Amino acid sequence: MDKILVQGMAFYGYHGVFAEENKLGQRFYADVTLEMDTRPAGKSDDLNQTVNYALVYETAKDILEGESVQLVETLTERLANALLEAFPIIDACTVKIIKPDPPIPGHYEAVAVEIRREREGV
């Protein structure tokens, strides 16, 4: 299966278990891998035969800068589902959400959740 990778998308959202996270907000990063057949686009050079990367970014922005949730797992699941819904050409997607500098004791670089979801019937 062919893959399109959109990596290093940066957002500022208000998600977390602690009240301070919801009040002050923080950075989040997203990487997505979209599995699909890219041959039609490769042959035709037609954007309508593939996924528009700008729309992938806007979909991620809507989720990560949108409604506040507690868990990175929830953000990740919502983004995967939104991508599959928005782009019928996608057979499966892998979504990784990174939360740098989590407010937990000790020195941590980041926490992340990565999931892979397939379209039903694939």
Side-chain angles (χ1 to χ4, degrees):
M1 183 62 59
D2 302 330
K3 295 179 181 178
I4 294 175
L5 288 77
V6 183
Q7 299 177 309
M9 294 182 283
F11 306 97
Y12 200 86
Y14 296 84
H15 312 289
V17 173
F18 300 112
E20 299 82 22
E21 295 176 289
N22 295 297
K23 182 179 178 183
L24 301 174
Q26 59 201 305
R27 295 173 296 143
F28 291 87
Y29 301 109
D31 298 332
V32 300
T33 302
L34 310 173
E35 297 179 37
M36 56 184 280
D37 185 357
T38 63
R39 287 176 292 192
K43 291 177 183 178
S44 68
D45 197 31
D46 180 2
L47 180 59
N48 294 314
Q49 298 292 314
T50 190
V51 173
N52 183 324
Y53 312 148
L55 296 178
V56 171
Y57 173 84
E58 289 301 322
T59 302
K61 182 178 183 194
D62 288 347
I63 301 295
L64 276 85
E65 292 186 358
E67 178 186 358
S68 178
V69 300
Q70 292 187 50
L71 303 177
V72 176
E73 290 86 343
T74 303
L75 290 173
T76 310
E77 188 71 32
R78 286 184 179 180
L79 180 52
N81 291 334
L83 290 168
L84 288 170
E85 183 178 321
F87 305 103
I89 194 171
I90 297 170
D91 294 321
C93 64
T94 300
V95 174
K96 180 179 179 182
I97 304 293
I98 303 152
K99 180 179 181 178
D101 306 315
I104 49 181
H107 179 72
Y108 293 92
E109 181 180 318
V111 296
V113 174
E114 180 176 284
I115 64 172
R116 182 179 182 277
R117 297 293 181 260
E118 293 181 3
R119 184 173 306 287
E120 289 188 29
V122 172

